[in-house]
Amino acid sequence: MAASNASCHSAGGTHVREGAEAVVLVGNPNVGKSVVFNALTGTYVDVSNFPGTTVELTRGRLGEHDVVDTPGVYGVSSFTDEETVARDIILSGDIVVNVVDSAHLERDLFLTLQLADMGKRMVVALNMADEARHQGVGIDRDLLEDLLGVPVVETVAVEGEGIAELKAAIPRARVGHADPELAPVLAETAERLGCSRAEALLVLEGDEAVSERLGAEPGGERDAIYLRRRARVDDMCGHVVTESLQGASFSAKLSHAMMHPLTGIPMLLVLLGAIYVVIGKLVAGNLVGFLQGTLMEGHYIPWVQGLVGHLAAPNSAVFEVLAGQFGLLTMAPSTLLGVILPLVTAFYLLLSLLEDSGYLLRIATLTDRILVSMGLNGRAVIPFILGLGCVTMGTLSTRVLGSRRERFIATALMAVTVPCSAQLAIVAALMTTAAPIYTVAYFAILAAVFIALGTLLHKLVPGQSSDLLIDLPPLRLPRVDNMLRKTGIKAWGFMREVTMFFAVGTLVLGLLKVTGALGWITTAAAPLMTGWLGLPRETATAFVMGMIRRDFGAAGFFSMDLTSPQLLVAMVTITLFVPCIASTVVVLKERGWRYMFGLVAGSTGFAVLLGGVIAHVLRIA
């Protein structure tokens, strides 16, 4: 390590030697940029903080050039300290070496084209070229060089491959081809503001700090510029990237099969079938049957009722509230520990398996085309799957989606059609008592509503959706200890959140029963339950419970003797019914009160309407 020498100019606050050009390394996070830096500069490095920040910068020398490594960024902007530092260094640098991950060219070229629009002299290093070949990804380097208008060099920095060629290419760095529609606007803006083309671009993209420095108003063209740039990236990748399985590893071939519709969809259906067998049969049937039926109903509840019976008369209000049908000490703990805990634990264990193996993001890629028809992209499958764990959590995770329009559509689809894991498992357990055709009909109806509602919202909701842009991790065998730790943390968090709702909900139901209000509600709802939905009068109680939590409501059907058609009607209606209280509050926080009231009113009305239609088709009403 060496101290800084005398200087005459600076690159974003870092000093550069007299007469030397500043070579700035720029790239996305985790593309091997630091390895390229070390390969270019050897051991002569200087590490210091960027002035006024805690962001570390590394500087070194390459002959007559001073080399500066910048923090990994996905774009030149100023949303974080790292991006602000990288932006200022790029603006004042002389030459940019843009390091890209060859296996993720579609992601990384977005930054490359932004640098080309900025008018920086540039060289592109296609790093990790061996990894791309290993995954069956081929890149036409010569064509990419023509399309970008700058030297392009293949490197494997960790092996030192291509480093000599990269060093030789740096003096030949040149300005790349800019967006042809944007170029004249950039020239006019730069002339008007008396600034560089790079600064003019950042002003047009709405960078407030650069605009303030130049005394200009931030522009509002960012979305339009980004969309055109994304289209150029897609077009460029379509011409230079080829995929072949020849010579690819087994994991690369398996990964390809998972994402190809002809093989990926059957694999996904097998997976869903396996999940149904594990959660619906083994856990919901056998384990829940033992915990709820044998332990809770056979031993725990009689023991609690005997204990409370010593304190209050069996027919008194106190006994009913504490140990009755909706008892705070009987129904709440028996449902939580006997039904919800094993089901949620099993679901999170399976989710951890999908996440840690890398299959979850491949499902996102596989379903991208389907979700595009509903105004979403494959990334939306992540909040949907998380929503299967808990709709509240899924609603929060819609923040990963690229636009307000996508978040609007995804939240509505999740709140209306996606049952949480506990509810889904209870539904699966209940439907195992019905003829198989009714189980198939239940999932088919939900899928049809999901597609129809998504397609309708895609047509009605204004705005534009974003494209899918994700990094695919390699397929790997998950670590069992990591899966168990994640499952434990998530299951504990879930149980901690729902326990209060179950306790309050049980208490409310108990009070409604002892005051006679539950009977009044049941009587008032009787025409709707029996006349329209074809269900027994007492099912109104389950729907009241469902307003507190959907799984709580679905669990209420356990004690009722329903026929197969009645089970189908009840399960479809309670699934599409109003979101639970926790989800409703999160929707209010994320989307606003108008959206929340519209969602609650719309889902309730639609659930009752569709449930009644099914009941009349099945001739039970």
Side-chain angles (χ1 to χ4, degrees):
M1 186 172 292
S4 303
N5 290 343
S7 60
C8 71
H9 71 288
S10 64
T14 62
H15 299 295
V16 176
R17 288 173 296 154
E18 177 75 30
E21 286 188 311
V23 176
V24 181
L25 264 62
V26 182
N28 288 189
N30 305 316
V31 295
K33 193 160 47 61
S34 296
V35 182
V36 172
F37 174 86
N38 291 332
L40 289 177
T41 61
T43 57
Y44 186 83
V45 297
D46 176 20
V47 180
S48 61
N49 286 350
F50 187 81
T53 75
T54 58
V55 178
E56 268 191 354
L57 290 180
T58 309
R59 297 192 303 123
R61 294 180 183 177
L62 173 61
E64 296 304 316
H65 297 95
D66 279 11
V67 184
V68 184
D69 192 10
T70 61
V73 293
Y74 291 102
V76 183
S77 56
S78 56
F79 296 115
T80 65
D81 278 355
E82 286 77 9
E83 290 176 346
T84 301
V85 169
R87 178 202 64 194
D88 287 346
I89 295 174
I90 293 167
L91 282 174
S92 54
D94 299 301
I95 296 172
V96 169
V97 173
N98 177 213
V99 183
V100 304
D101 180 351
S102 300
H104 297 99
L105 196 64
E106 189 174 353
R107 177 200 65 187
D108 290 14
L109 277 186
F110 189 87
L111 174 60
T112 307
L113 292 189
Q114 187 180 26
L115 293 167
D117 288 339
M118 293 175 76
K120 306 301 295 188
R121 291 162 57 204
M122 181 166 58
V123 175
V124 171
L126 287 175
N127 198 31
M128 304 184 191
D130 57 337
E131 180 62 27
R133 288 191 290 271
H134 191 62
Q135 295 182 21
V137 176
I139 299 174
D140 188 333
R141 189 202 63 83
D142 293 339
L143 180 56
L144 181 61
E145 187 169 285
D146 288 342
L147 294 173
L148 290 174
V150 302
V152 175
V153 180
E154 282 191 357
T155 61
V156 183
V158 292
E159 303 289 341
E161 292 180 17
I163 297 301
E165 291 81 356
L166 181 60
K167 290 179 179 177
I170 288 175
R172 296 187 283 109
R174 55 183 183 269
V175 176
H177 300 316
D179 178 349
E181 291 185 41
L182 187 60
V185 182
L186 284 173
E188 185 276 329
T189 304
E191 183 178 354
R192 176 167 51 84
L193 298 178
C195 64
S196 67
R197 195 168 101 182
E199 290 171 314
L201 176 68
L202 294 176
V203 170
L204 292 174
E205 291 183 354
D207 189 299
E208 293 184 357
V210 173
S211 300
E212 185 179 353
R213 284 206 297 254
L214 296 172
E217 283 293 320
E221 292 86 354
R222 179 191 298 156
D223 288 348
I225 293 172
Y226 279 19
L227 283 172
R228 262 203 323 277
R229 190 173 294 149
R230 173 50 53 194
R232 291 177 63 207
V233 169
D234 292 343
D235 180 64
M236 205 169 280
C237 287
H239 284 86
V240 304
V241 176
T242 56
E243 292 189 19
S244 170
L245 295 179
Q246 188 173 6
S249 64
F250 171 76
S251 64
K253 292 176 181 176
L254 180 59
S255 173
H256 182 269
M258 287 175 170
M259 295 182 290
H260 193 284
L262 287 179
T263 49
I265 291 176
M267 292 169 78
L268 181 59
L269 291 176
V270 169
L271 172 73
L272 294 175
I275 290 175
Y276 175 78
V277 169
V278 172
I279 292 183
K281 296 283 188 180
L282 298 179
V283 179
N286 299 338
L287 184 58
V288 170
F290 172 74
L291 292 174
Q292 174 72 355
T294 305
L295 292 185
M296 290 299 175
E297 294 180 357
H299 299 281
Y300 172 75
I301 291 177
W303 176 74
V304 170
Q305 288 177 333
L307 198 64
V308 176
H310 292 295
L311 305 174
N315 293 325
S316 66
V318 173
F319 182 91
E320 188 63 40
V321 169
L322 292 178
Q325 182 185 1
F326 306 115
L328 192 59
L329 301 178
T330 50
M331 182 178 181
S334 67
T335 305
L336 281 169
L337 300 177
V339 179
I340 304 299
L341 179 60
L343 294 173
V344 168
T345 303
F347 173 80
Y348 281 127
L349 192 60
L350 286 170
L351 184 62
S352 297
L353 175 66
L354 295 180
E355 284 179 335
D356 291 6
S357 64
Y359 190 28
L360 187 60
L361 288 180
R362 283 163 177 82
I363 294 175
T365 305
L366 176 68
T367 55
D368 184 57
R369 288 184 182 178
I370 299 172
L371 293 173
V372 163
S373 66
M374 290 180 269
L376 302 169
N377 62 50
R379 185 177 285 272
V381 81
I382 295 172
F384 287 149
I385 289 181
L386 290 175
L388 285 171
C390 174
V391 174
T392 305
M393 186 167 54
T395 303
L396 287 172
S397 67
T398 56
R399 294 175 184 180
V400 304
L401 301 180
S403 69
R404 185 177 179 182
R405 180 177 191 266
E406 291 166 70
R407 292 189 283 274
F408 184 105
I409 296 172
T411 301
L413 284 172
M414 196 152 36
V416 176
T417 63
V418 177
C420 69
S421 60
Q423 184 193 14
L424 182 62
I426 292 169
V427 169
L430 283 167
M431 294 308 291
T432 56
T433 64
I437 186 66
Y438 291 98
T439 303
V440 174
Y442 169 78
F443 288 107
I445 290 170
L446 282 194
V449 172
F450 182 88
I451 294 170
L453 181 60
T455 305
L456 181 65
L457 290 174
H458 181 35
K459 292 183 181 300
L460 296 179
V461 178
Q464 199 154 19
S465 300
S466 60
D467 295 325
L468 177 65
L469 190 63
I470 57 175
D471 291 337
L472 283 177
L475 289 174
R476 54 182 175 267
L477 287 174
R479 288 174 57 91
V480 176
D481 58 340
N482 192 44
M483 287 172 52
L484 293 177
R485 186 173 64 252
K486 288 170 65 176
T487 300
I489 292 172
K490 290 180 178 179
W492 167 248
F494 185 89
M495 295 304 293
R496 194 171 53 180
E497 177 197 329
V498 303
T499 297
M500 181 189 70
F501 286 100
F502 266 73
V504 172
T506 305
L507 181 61
V508 169
L509 285 171
L511 293 174
L512 287 175
K513 185 174 183 183
V514 297
T515 58
L518 190 59
W520 179 84
I521 292 173
T522 304
T523 303
L528 193 64
M529 293 296 111
T530 59
W532 177 247
L533 294 175
L535 300 174
R537 289 163 55 94
E538 59 268 26
T539 51
T541 307
F543 286 105
V544 173
M545 294 158 63
M547 291 181 182
I548 299 167
R549 284 194 65 87
R550 280 181 172 179
D551 44 346
F552 200 16
F557 292 107
F558 260 115
S559 58
M560 301 178 192
D561 186 20
L562 302 179
T563 64
S564 294
Q566 285 177 324
L567 266 177
L568 176 62
V569 172
M571 293 302 105
V572 168
T573 307
I574 194 102
T575 302
L576 303 178
F577 202 53
V578 57
C580 69
I581 290 177
S583 300
T584 303
V585 171
V586 171
V587 169
L588 172 66
K589 178 177 176 293
E590 296 288 307
R591 305 277 95 83
W593 65 271
R594 288 185 180 177
Y595 185 98
M596 186 273 288
F597 279 116
L599 185 66
V600 170
S603 62
T604 304
F606 178 70
V608 174
L609 176 66
L610 183 62
V613 169
I614 297 170
H616 283 74
V617 170
L618 296 175
R619 299 179 183 278
I620 61 172

